[in-house]
Amino acid sequence: MQNEYQTIIQTMNDTMLKAGRTDSIKLLAVSKKQPIEKIISLYNLGQRDFGESYIQEAKEKILALDAYFINSSSINWHFIGPIQSNKTKTIASLFNWVHSIDRLKIAKRINQHRLDLDDKELSPINICLQININNEHTKSGFSLGEINPAIEQILKLKQLKLRGLMAIPEKSDDIIIQRQNFALLRRLLDQLNTKFSLSMDTLSMGMSNDMQAAIMEGSTIIRVGTALFGQRKV
Ligand SMILES: *Cc1c(COP(=O)(O)O)cnc(C)c1O
């Protein structure tokens, strides 16, 4: 896995150069359906941001790693999967980031849980709003029409730190199409920052198959699973 890790970091840096970018970018290691040993290996290579999609699995891993590292608070845990209402409490208590906020109700619940947990002195949780960029029926996320009123409400929720947008575009192997979709998300972030006088700094976009296109279009967090860890367990 060391080779894969180095290759991805190299590709990331090369693509940043090619894009003429001097801002920063983060690699999120998507460890869903991957064993804990692989997380530890990557941690030992210096990786600190890990992404999970399934809450029960994530909880087990986070608690096990807390015990293993005495206190795994040096890991930044990102939740990137679909969110059911009855899971918001666990998400609010275990994660530093949530990329997959796809409706107002979920944002409100996470905000409230974070308030209820204030004995732990948790800082506001970092969130991205998931955008259904190609309006696919099978995908969750805010539609372009829903996003403005949602942001007005979300800005009132003080335990949430709105960092930016996330999308999983329609699958395509054509880099031109990949870039068009990512450019759409980038322009949307710019428009929203202007409209609401915000300084959202995060574009969570790009996976194993399209990370280069995403970096060319300004991604600040790429979420990479299989290219890093190999195939997931089913
Ligand atoms: C699984 C997943 C990834 C990683 O996908 P790979 O193709 O394995 O890199 C990224 N983002 C989200 C939201 C995911 O669910």
Side-chain angles (χ1 to χ4, degrees), residues 99-114:
H99 294 230
S100 44
I101 302 283
D102 62 350
R103 50 203 197 279
L104 190 54
K105 180 185 171 191
I106 294 297
K108 285 182 173 163
R109 288 181 66 102
I110 291 177
N111 183 68
Q112 187 58 49
H113 292 312
R114 204 75 176 183

Side-chain angles (χ1 to χ4, degrees), residues 1-211:
M1 222 171 40
Q2 183 163 8
N3 285 343
E4 287 82 354
Y5 188 53
Q6 279 161 357
T7 303
I8 286 167
I9 287 175
Q10 186 72 50
T11 305
M12 208 167 75
N13 292 338
D14 289 350
T15 314
M16 287 293 279
L17 262 181
K18 188 174 160 198
R21 289 180 54 187
T22 52
D23 59 326
S24 61
I25 183 161
K26 197 193 284 275
L27 169 62
L28 177 61
V30 177
S31 49
K32 66 181 183 202
K33 305 272 184 193
Q34 301 287 357
I36 230 163
E37 293 72 29
K38 289 191 176 179
I39 299 179
I40 294 171
S41 301
L42 271 193
Y43 181 94
N44 288 334
L45 294 171
Q47 178 66 24
R48 291 294 178 271
D49 291 89
F50 291 90
E52 291 282 338
S53 294
Y54 308 103
I55 195 65
Q56 186 55 37
E57 178 196 344
K59 187 175 172 180
E60 285 166 21
K61 285 171 161 173
I62 292 171
L63 296 181
L65 284 164
D66 268 342
Y68 180 85
F69 288 120
I70 312 301
N71 177 359
S72 76
S73 60
S74 54
I75 295 186
N76 296 315
W77 289 105
H78 300 239
F79 193 78
I80 61 174
I83 304 177
Q84 294 164 284
S85 307
N86 61 352
K87 300 291 162 46
T88 49
K89 190 172 182 180
T90 313
I91 290 173
S93 69
L94 292 178
F95 287 84
N96 312 90
W97 280 77
V98 185
H99 294 230
S100 44
I101 302 283
D102 62 350
R103 50 203 197 279
L104 190 54
K105 180 185 171 191
I106 294 297
K108 285 182 173 163
R109 288 181 66 102
I110 291 177
N111 183 68
Q112 187 58 49
H113 292 312
R114 204 75 176 183
L115 266 178
D116 298 343
L117 288 162
D118 67 359
D119 53 311
K120 282 194 179 174
E121 291 187 12
L122 290 169
S123 48
I125 191 167
N126 297 293
I127 63 159
C128 293
L129 305 183
Q130 183 171 350
I131 308 294
N132 190 352
I133 204 100
N134 305 108
N135 263 316
E136 294 173 271
H137 296 299
T138 51
K139 278 203 185 120
S140 48
F142 291 97
S143 67
L144 297 178
E146 290 167 336
I147 193 70
N148 284 1
I151 287 190
E152 274 175 29
Q153 297 302 311
I154 284 169
L155 289 173
K156 297 178 188 160
L157 306 173
K158 297 303 175 197
Q159 301 304 310
L160 306 182
K161 188 165 170 52
L162 179 58
R163 297 296 298 268
L165 305 176
M166 182 273 240
I168 311 169
E170 207 162 21
K171 202 169 161 41
S172 167
D173 289 324
D174 183 342
I175 190 153
I176 310 249
I177 292 173
Q178 291 174 354
R179 285 189 63 164
Q180 281 171 354
N181 284 322
F182 292 135
L184 241 146
L185 199 68
R186 170 171 48 77
R187 285 196 296 268
L188 180 60
L189 187 80
D190 289 343
Q191 284 164 17
L192 294 171
N193 273 335
T194 304
K195 180 168 170 56
F196 293 97
S197 302
L198 297 173
S199 44
M200 293 187 283
D201 59 4
T202 302
L203 281 169
S204 170
M205 59 188 200
M207 319 200 322
S208 294
N209 188 46
D210 53 15
M211 56 177 273

